[in-house]
């Protein structure tokens, strides 16, 4: 499955192009065993009549006919510098997890993998976030009541990769044919391009967070302005009733003030939480890059001392 995911990205993923696919397998005791997968085909705007659901059903039916695990257990997606904490991923994972409780999403990072270590992580939505998504109420009050922050939106599931003997043999053959002539190249430091790109993406998300803060401050100002208008209206109404009573006239009937001044809708909080989660991911990436470089420096120094 891992090799199929990597192969899918190498064939169809270009730069920041994201590739996705379906995970198949079965549940054994308290483990989810992912034993097969197939990619979503690339289609253009000309393929407007392409039905992804129908395509998945036909693929699973074909796999069942040849006696291959065909049970739907989640999906996978590549990521560009860790940019996977998005509303699209949240909505897709909710759909999978709502239909099949055991579903997970595998996130494959080709950039980290190219640095010498496989980057593959599995995530699920937490039960609290699942309840909020079912209600479709992402207001600040609902999220506060559910006690949801960006730290507890997703839960990471530990992964254990098991290879068959034939796969191990193939990996040994690939290692022999590796284009890396000098193994010491693996000790080269991560290029500044990776750190620079991560910092640029981090700054972009901070700007997005700043814009959300501006929207929220604007909402607070509008609420304050509306409260003042309500107060002024009530005062005018009260004075007018006093004048009518002094003239012996009946006071004006009470009106529903909420109909005159409709309550303002607060900005959705979910986008801010996703942005905060993405900022945290970028910070972790930068931290890992720095730790990786530090480890390579120690290894290079130790190798040099050994050679001396």
């Amino acid at each position: 499955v891992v090799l199929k995911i990597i192969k899918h990205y190498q064939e169809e993923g270009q730069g920041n192009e994201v590739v996705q696919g379906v995970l198949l397998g079965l549940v054994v005791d308290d483990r989810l065993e992912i034993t097969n997968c197939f990619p979503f085909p690339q289609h253009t705007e000309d393929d407007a009549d392409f039905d992804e659901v129908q395509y998945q059903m036909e693929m699973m039916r074909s796999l069942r006919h040849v006696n291959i695990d065909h049970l739907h257990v989640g999906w996978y997606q590549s990521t560009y510098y860790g940019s996977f904490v998005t509303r699209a991923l949240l909505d897709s994972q909710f759909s999978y997890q709502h239909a099949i409780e055991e579903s997970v999403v595998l996130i494959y990072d080709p950039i980290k993998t190219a640095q010498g270590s496989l980057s593959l992580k599995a995530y699920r939505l937490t039960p609290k976030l699942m309840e909020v998504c079912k209600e479709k109420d992402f207001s600040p009050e609902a999220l506060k009541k559910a006690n949801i922050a960006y730290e507890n939106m997703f839960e990471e599931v530990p992964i254990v990769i098991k290879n068959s003997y034939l796969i191990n043999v193939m990996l040994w053959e690939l290692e022999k044919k590796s284009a890396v002539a000098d193994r010491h190249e693996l000790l080269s430091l991560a290029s500044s391009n990776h750190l620079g790109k991560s910092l640029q993406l981090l700054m972009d998300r901070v700007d997005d967070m700043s814009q959300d803060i501006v929207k929220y401050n604007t909402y607070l100002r509008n609420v304050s302005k509306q409260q003042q208008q309500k107060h002024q209206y009530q005062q005018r109404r009260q004075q007018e009733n006093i004048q009518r009573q002094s003239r012996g006239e009946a006071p004006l009937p009470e009106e529903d003030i909420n109909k005159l001044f409709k309550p303002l809708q607060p900005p959705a909080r979910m986008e801010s939480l996703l942005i905060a989660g993405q900022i945290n991911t970028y910070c972790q990436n930068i931290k890992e890059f720095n730790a990786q470089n530090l480890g390579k420096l120690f290894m290079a120094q130790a190798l040099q001392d050994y050679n001396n």
Side-chain angles (χ1 to χ4, degrees):
V1 173
V2 176
L3 292 176
K4 285 183 178 181
I5 295 174
I6 296 174
K7 183 173 181 287
H8 183 198
Y9 176 81
Q10 289 179 343
E11 291 179 348
E12 299 186 6
Q14 299 294 332
N16 59 354
E17 186 75 19
V18 173
V19 299
Q20 298 176 334
V22 176
L23 300 175
L24 306 172
L26 65 161
V27 178
V28 180
D29 297 330
D30 59 347
R31 302 188 312 276
L32 175 65
E33 295 189 0
I34 301 173
T35 57
N36 198 9
C37 68
F38 62 85
F40 288 147
Q42 295 285 353
H43 55 276
T44 61
E45 296 179 355
D46 298 334
D47 304 328
D49 57 344
F50 179 77
D51 189 346
E52 289 189 356
V53 176
Q54 183 64 25
Y55 171 78
Q56 294 181 42
M57 296 301 295
E58 291 179 359
M59 282 292 297
M60 294 165 65
R61 191 179 300 111
S62 300
L63 292 172
R64 183 177 60 209
H65 288 164
V66 294
N67 199 25
I68 296 177
D69 291 337
H70 61 278
L71 296 180
H72 211 154
V73 295
W75 60 297
Y76 69 84
Q77 174 183 306
S78 66
T79 182
Y80 179 67
Y81 285 95
S83 305
F84 64 90
V85 185
T86 62
R87 184 60 180 271
L89 180 133
L90 187 147
D91 293 339
S92 297
Q93 180 57 25
F94 170 74
S95 299
Y96 278 94
Q97 205 165 323
H98 181 65
I100 304 174
E101 184 179 357
E102 296 83 6
S103 296
V104 299
V105 53
L106 288 182
I107 302 296
Y108 168 63
D109 193 331
I111 297 176
K112 284 186 180 180
T113 302
Q115 297 299 314
S117 60
L118 175 65
S119 178
L120 189 69
K121 295 184 178 181
Y123 292 99
R124 287 169 48 83
L125 301 185
T126 58
K128 290 182 178 180
L129 186 57
M130 285 292 296
E131 291 298 325
V132 172
C133 291
K134 288 179 183 178
E135 298 296 331
K136 297 182 180 180
D137 184 4
F138 303 117
S139 63
E141 292 77 12
L143 295 177
K144 183 178 180 181
K145 182 179 179 181
N147 194 25
I148 291 179
Y150 72 88
E151 298 95 337
N152 56 10
M153 294 176 63
F154 298 92
E155 58 181 357
E156 184 174 353
V157 181
I159 296 177
V160 177
I161 301 177
K162 296 184 179 181
N163 290 333
S164 67
Y165 296 113
L166 293 177
I167 293 293
N168 288 330
V169 171
M170 187 186 73
L171 291 176
W172 280 108
E173 291 294 328
L174 290 176
E175 185 176 2
K176 292 178 182 179
K177 299 177 182 179
S178 175
V180 180
D182 186 4
R183 296 295 177 180
H184 295 169
E185 291 181 10
L186 297 176
L187 296 179
S188 62
L189 301 182
S191 66
S192 59
N193 293 335
H194 295 309
L195 294 177
K197 188 62 179 178
S198 296
L199 286 172
Q200 182 61 50
L201 292 170
L202 175 60
M203 290 188 292
D204 291 342
R205 299 309 279 173
V206 171
D207 289 340
D208 293 339
M209 178 65 76
S210 177
Q211 293 177 7
D212 274 10
I213 293 174
V214 170
K215 292 179 182 178
Y216 185 69
N217 289 334
T218 302
Y219 162 75
L220 292 179
R221 287 195 299 268
N222 292 335
V223 168
S224 177
K225 184 177 179 181
Q226 189 183 68
Q227 291 296 333
Q228 292 178 358
Q229 292 174 349
K230 285 182 180 180
H231 183 66
Q232 292 173 359
Y233 173 79
Q234 290 173 340
Q235 284 185 334
R236 289 196 304 269
R237 191 80 168 183
Q238 186 178 7
Q239 291 176 358
E240 189 174 353
N241 282 333
I242 292 174
Q243 293 175 359
R244 291 176 65 89
Q245 288 178 357
S246 64
R247 296 193 299 266
E249 299 176 359
L252 295 173
E254 294 185 0
E255 295 181 352
D256 188 358
I257 196 170
N258 289 326
K259 291 183 179 179
L260 298 174
F261 300 92
K262 294 183 179 180
L264 300 176
Q265 293 297 325
R269 178 67 176 160
M270 182 56 67
E271 293 299 330
S272 299
L273 290 179
L274 291 172
I275 292 173
Q278 191 60 67
I279 289 175
N280 182 65
T281 300
Y282 289 142
C283 291
Q284 291 294 332
N285 288 345
I286 295 172
K287 182 179 178 181
E288 289 176 6
F289 273 126
N290 291 334
Q292 187 180 23
N293 283 343
L294 185 61
K296 288 181 178 180
L297 283 174
F298 283 125
M299 288 292 294
Q301 184 63 44
L303 183 60
Q304 183 178 359
D305 293 343
Y306 176 79
N307 291 333
N308 291 337

